[in-house]
Amino acid sequence: MTEQQILKKIDKWNEDDHIQAVVDFIEKLPDESKTTEVLSELGRAYNNLYWLDPTAENEKYLRRAIEVFKYLEEEIGDTESWNYRIGYSYFYLNDIDNARKYLERAPSLSGTQELLHYIALADKKGISLREAVKGGRGEVEYILEDFVETLHQYAPAMQARLGAPATEQQIARFQDHLGFDLPEEFKQLHRTFSGQLGQGPFFGVGQCFLNLEQIEQAQRDIVAFLEANFGANWMEKQLPEDNFMDEGEIKNQLFSRKWLPFMMQEIEGEKSYLCFDFDNDQEGTFGQLIGVTPHKDLEQYEVSFVFPGLFHWLSGTIEGIETGRMAYSEEKNTIEFLSRSFEPAYYEQEEREALEEYIKENFGQFDEVFHELVSDDIHCDIYIVKPTPERNYYTLITGGMGAYQMNIPEGFSGSPFAEMVINLPPDWNVKSEAEKDYWPMRWLKILARLPIEQDTFLAWGHTVPTGEPLEGTLFTCMLLLGTDDKKDEEAIVKLPTGKEVYFYTVVPLYEQEMLYKLENDTTALLELFSEKDIPYPPVVDVNRPNVCQDYAPIQNTGLLDQVYWAFTQEHFPGLMIFWEAVKAYNTDMENRLTNFNPFGTIFKTPKVKIMYEAWIKSKRELHDFEILANEHLLEGEPDANGLYQALIVSELTSGDGASFGALELLWLIHNTLSNKDLGDHIFFEGFDIEGYEEDGTPVLYINCGS
């Protein structure tokens, strides 16, 4: 096994926190395989073993890590990663001087500033590093101070709206009213601030902090609501099992006196609450934050897990404010949540002028533009170039998609900026809103936003299934081809800002043509178009012949046999992004995919059922298309980590509703498994066909190895 293969294997275990597997694997390697890079990973693994269970007994792992790093110092002691890792070891051994010395030599690495923050905190307060990390009273004292300081820096008007701290007498009186001991984290929250000043929301739409009196009132309001709608025996009610997806995390009940709201949101008279859950000492995480939205219809009554605890909520809120995902609105005097994780992408005026000039020179004059009136991501107009004697067809061109930079994979030779083009016959009613006439405009807009919505990219040869046949046609797919301008060259406009925007022509396909293309590639399909004298450039003809009328894809269930892959917790939103990851992984593993056809048909069925083993805590981790093979599994006792070893059955549906390509199947399997704990068994080792259901649906068992 090469060093690259060894490191790739280690990397995948690290991603899923299977650290003991890394240590066992490296220690069993022959000496000649224990290279500098591999031994560095061993030291890192020892650090992580301590991190997984930070007890005094496990400090031995930190000392072993230091031994490994000291052994490597002569070779890599000048690198940031070496300094960070040995600094980490000293940090958790509470050696402040050595921790600071090494960490300051790794300023750009993720995690360094957090550890240096704890060192500064320890110095400032005269406490140990362990105490700084522990967080003070209730393990939230210091992060609450950070929250207040963050508001002071980014939204001082909101800091001024924090309620006055509750006194110890007020907290004691509140505790007496409840009739149970309050955890320290709840007390510390209200020692720092209790509720808010003013009536307006603190966050978003209607979200307000509650003080101790308001919490008691909220509990009374909820109980009164429940009694009015469900009677005096409301405590015996439970949420419908199909709706309650938090089994093992939250008790299935409508409310509990030990659910303490600390935030309330009211929208159009409907109230919802963010609560501490102190009624789960045997289920879930004690002190977790849950959402409760009472409703008179049990089908719409909501109880759900939100955060593991107050610390996590505060961390996420601080990060959101510091990164700009949450921002103070002076006009509304509240902290607002941004609706998207990216800024809207619009052309600058000079860019749009250059784009329009290029369209006029290379596609033709446009007299009409279908303007987009409202948009919060891109502003996608459609330019209409009318038929001329030289180009006897309409040309519709998007104007706005290219302002957004698509998420292209590493090594992609094209541009991350694109616009879409479609050619329609001269008698097409481009002004009609009837679906049989309007679908070209609709699909131009769909394709323009697809890279945004799926965090992917579009390029030559890509196909996008439409689902149902387009109105008035039998077309079920869109194919993207290059666009030739009037000079018989690829249509590419270079904007004044330096962006190169590619134009792609959209060509609707029949289902058989799509399957042929996926099985053989785009060039092979275009050769059939040429043989059948389909005019070029492609103009939509709803009556054109199907060049693959009698084509039936060849099913080859062994297409994935030679593909290497490791299941991680990364979710891949787009098929082509996943394909780039698969290629990169196999290249790293020195596995050539020369004979692998990623789009070859592996099953000629619209559905596939898969079975796989994973470790879960509750049904909450299952997707809505999954069930447990043993429906009574969770009635038994979990293992020492609170996990159940489950056999899970999933029903996957193909994108075209007809068949699965090999890559598509692996992509769907990966995304299905990405939210599960697979233990050390994360490497794809093919599948066994367990049988077929009456309708022909294959049932597969996914083999995962270590």
Side-chain angles (χ1 to χ4, degrees):
M1 188 178 294
T2 67
E3 180 188 59
Q4 206 167 31
Q5 291 173 324
I6 291 171
L7 294 174
K8 197 71 176 178
K9 213 172 181 70
I10 291 169
D11 185 51
K12 294 304 177 184
W13 273 319
N14 279 329
E15 286 182 20
D16 288 341
D17 288 336
H18 300 312
I19 309 305
Q20 189 63 56
V22 174
V23 172
D24 294 343
F25 175 65
I26 296 176
E27 288 184 339
K28 292 177 183 177
L29 287 173
D31 289 344
E32 60 269 20
S33 295
K34 293 178 180 177
T35 63
T36 298
E37 192 66 30
V38 171
L39 286 176
S40 183
E41 290 298 321
L42 178 61
R44 177 189 178 196
Y46 282 135
N47 273 343
N48 288 339
L49 277 180
Y50 171 80
W51 176 80
L52 290 175
D53 187 16
T55 61
E57 180 183 353
N58 284 341
E59 287 181 1
K60 62 186 178 185
Y61 295 126
L62 298 173
R63 287 186 281 271
R64 292 175 73 177
I66 291 173
E67 291 175 5
V68 173
F69 293 133
K70 285 291 187 182
Y71 176 78
L72 299 173
E73 183 172 9
E74 185 174 341
E75 293 184 64
I76 59 173
D78 59 346
T79 64
E80 281 196 274
S81 62
W82 181 89
N83 279 282
Y84 174 80
R85 290 173 180 177
I86 195 170
Y88 180 101
S89 305
Y90 281 118
F91 181 95
Y92 283 102
L93 286 172
N94 201 39
D95 187 335
I96 291 181
D97 292 337
N98 274 317
R100 182 189 290 112
K101 178 178 75 172
Y102 291 112
L103 289 169
E104 286 180 346
R105 296 174 185 172
S108 67
L109 293 189
S110 173
T112 295
Q113 298 308 315
E114 180 182 1
L115 296 182
L116 289 173
H117 166 76
Y118 285 130
I119 290 174
L121 182 64
D123 278 343
K124 176 182 177 181
K125 293 183 174 292
I127 58 178
S128 69
L129 292 176
R130 194 183 301 273
E131 289 173 317
V133 172
K134 193 170 182 181
R137 298 177 73 178
E139 300 185 358
V140 293
E141 178 183 359
Y142 305 146
I143 198 168
L144 279 165
E145 292 174 357
D146 287 346
F147 174 67
V148 174
E149 178 57 33
T150 301
L151 291 179
H152 176 74
Q153 181 177 354
Y154 292 91
M158 299 309 295
Q159 183 204 1
R161 290 188 58 195
L162 293 175
T167 66
E168 293 298 331
Q169 291 80 4
Q170 289 172 323
I171 294 173
R173 185 164 57 249
F174 177 76
Q175 180 171 271
D176 289 341
H177 291 174
L178 289 173
F180 65 90
D181 291 338
L182 286 168
E184 198 64 24
E185 62 180 319
F186 180 89
K187 294 179 181 179
Q188 190 59 35
L189 166 64
H190 289 275
R191 290 187 189 113
T192 308
F193 66 91
S194 188
Q196 66 178 63
L197 304 177
Q199 298 300 313
F202 202 94
F203 293 105
V205 181
Q207 295 184 2
C208 303
F209 284 116
L210 302 179
N211 61 31
L212 297 178
E213 291 183 3
Q214 291 168 331
I215 292 173
E216 288 192 87
Q217 184 60 52
Q219 287 196 322
R220 287 193 293 269
D221 290 345
I222 294 171
V223 171
F225 176 89
L226 295 174
E227 290 177 344
N229 288 280
F230 301 106
N233 295 325
W234 63 266
M235 289 176 288
E236 300 175 7
K237 298 284 186 181
Q238 289 190 323
L239 296 178
E241 188 173 335
D242 291 342
N243 291 4
F244 191 71
M245 299 302 293
D246 287 290
E247 184 175 336
E249 299 285 345
I250 307 170
K251 289 182 180 177
N252 189 344
Q253 55 193 4
L254 302 188
F255 191 64
S256 166
R257 287 280 289 170
K258 291 187 176 182
W259 290 357
L260 303 187
F262 82 97
M263 292 195 78
M264 183 184 77
Q265 181 178 39
E266 183 170 6
I267 301 177
E268 296 181 353
E270 184 177 87
K271 295 180 180 179
S272 58
Y273 304 88
L274 183 61
C275 305
F276 286 94
D277 179 7
F278 298 131
D279 192 21
N280 64 343
D281 47 347
Q282 295 184 5
E283 299 184 31
T285 303
F286 186 75
Q288 65 190 358
L289 302 186
I290 62 174
V292 180
T293 304
H295 199 282
K296 61 184 179 181
D297 182 354
L298 285 181
E299 295 288 340
Q300 299 184 57
Y301 200 114
E302 294 184 11
V303 176
S304 60
F305 171 87
V306 182
F307 287 98
L310 179 62
F311 181 92
H312 300 82
W313 181 83
L314 289 165
S315 298
T317 303
I318 292 170
E319 181 186 8
I321 295 172
E322 290 178 340
T323 59
R325 289 185 289 107
M326 302 166 66
Y328 174 65
S329 169
E330 185 174 356
E331 178 185 356
K332 299 178 181 178
N333 194 27
T334 185
I335 295 176
E336 294 196 308
F337 301 88
L338 298 184
S339 60
R340 293 183 177 271
S341 58
F342 63 89
E343 292 294 325
Y346 305 131
Y347 280 130
E348 300 289 341
Q349 182 175 349
E350 61 176 351
E351 290 181 318
R352 185 169 287 278
E353 289 174 354
L355 178 79
E356 292 179 349
E357 190 61 32
Y358 182 89
I359 292 173
K360 291 175 184 178
E361 291 182 2
N362 297 280
F363 292 95
Q365 293 289 328
F366 53 85
D367 299 323
E368 292 184 85
V369 181
F370 288 175
H371 289 286
E372 188 164 60
L373 300 180
V374 179
S375 59
D376 62 353
D377 44 22
I378 58 174
H379 183 89
C380 186
D381 295 333
I382 296 180
Y383 298 96
I384 310 296
V385 178
K386 294 180 179 178
T388 65
E390 296 79 21
R391 300 169 63 112
N392 191 27
Y393 48 84
Y394 281 101
T395 300
L396 278 58
I397 309 158
T398 62
M401 175 184 178
Y404 173 77
Q405 182 170 327
M406 299 183 291
N407 183 10
I408 61 173
E410 186 177 350
F412 178 66
S413 59
S415 171
F417 306 102
E419 298 288 356
M420 297 289 126
V421 179
I422 194 167
N423 298 317
L424 302 175
D427 59 351
W428 197 279
N429 188 351
V430 296
K431 294 185 178 181
S432 171
E433 294 184 1
E435 187 60 26
K436 69 180 182 64
D437 301 312
Y438 187 71
W439 64 256
M441 280 69 85
R442 183 185 307 283
W443 269 91
L444 286 180
K445 289 180 176 288
I446 290 173
L447 293 171
R449 286 185 164 82
L450 188 143
I452 298 173
E453 295 170 352
Q454 297 190 13
D455 191 25
T456 186
F457 73 109
L458 292 175
W460 187 91
H462 285 188
T463 47
V464 180
T466 63
E468 297 296 321
L470 299 170
E471 186 75 19
T473 80
L474 296 177
F475 298 134
T476 60
C477 179
M478 295 298 193
L479 169 67
L480 302 188
L481 297 177
T483 299
D484 294 339
D485 63 19
K486 67 180 183 180
K487 300 170 187 163
D488 293 328
E489 298 175 353
E490 254 190 327
I492 305 172
V493 57
K494 187 166 184 178
L495 302 180
T497 51
K499 294 179 183 176
E500 286 192 344
V501 180
Y502 281 47
F503 294 84
Y504 294 107
T505 296
V506 179
V507 180
L509 300 181
Y510 296 104
E511 180 180 313
Q512 294 87 350
E513 293 172 341
M514 175 186 67
L515 295 174
Y516 181 87
K517 177 263 177 184
L518 294 176
E519 187 78 37
N520 298 278
D521 75 25
T522 303
T523 302
L525 176 63
L526 293 180
E527 289 175 356
L528 291 183
F529 272 62
S530 179
E531 291 174 11
K532 300 293 184 180
D533 295 323
I534 304 298
Y536 194 90
V539 178
V540 172
D541 178 359
V542 298
N543 297 311
R544 75 165 174 81
N546 184 340
V547 301
C548 302
Q549 180 68 52
D550 300 321
Y551 177 74
I554 300 172
Q555 176 172 291
N556 181 354
T557 60
L559 283 174
L560 290 172
D561 288 352
Q562 302 303 316
V563 177
Y564 293 171
W565 186 244
F567 296 115
T568 66
Q569 294 180 332
E570 179 180 1
H571 181 89
F572 290 90
L575 181 63
M576 299 311 296
I577 297 293
F578 180 69
W579 175 221
E580 296 301 324
V582 170
K583 287 192 293 186
Y585 182 80
N586 281 268
T587 298
D588 289 345
M589 297 297 287
E590 300 183 354
N591 181 41
R592 297 183 180 274
L593 296 176
T594 308
N595 298 318
F596 173 59
N597 179 3
F599 304 108
T601 301
I602 193 166
F603 287 106
K604 292 193 292 184
T605 56
K607 294 182 179 179
V608 164
K609 283 191 174 180
I610 64 168
M611 298 189 298
Y612 64 94
E613 292 188 48
W615 280 258
I616 65 172
K617 287 187 176 181
S618 71
K619 285 185 178 179
R620 185 172 172 271
E621 296 166 66
L622 301 181
H623 301 290
D624 56 9
F625 52 84
E626 294 187 305
I627 61 171
L628 294 174
N630 176 6
E631 62 180 4
H632 301 295
L633 175 70
L634 301 181
E635 297 172 8
E637 290 295 322
D639 66 12
N641 296 314
L643 299 172
Y644 297 86
Q645 185 174 358
L647 179 63
I648 300 171
V649 182
S650 307
E651 184 174 271
L652 309 181
T653 303
S654 68
D656 62 17
S659 62
F660 285 88
L663 180 67
E664 178 188 24
L665 179 60
L666 185 59
W667 173 52
L668 293 174
I669 293 172
H670 174 91
N671 281 346
T672 300
L673 273 59
S674 65
N675 72 326
K676 308 295 193 309
D677 183 351
L678 303 180
D680 298 337
H681 295 76
I682 63 173
F683 298 101
F684 177 63
E685 295 184 350
F687 57 79
D688 297 324
I689 301 177
E690 298 295 312
Y692 293 84
E693 297 191 333
E694 290 185 5
D695 62 357
T697 298
V699 181
L700 316 178
Y701 181 84
I702 309 302
N703 295 310
C704 297
S706 60

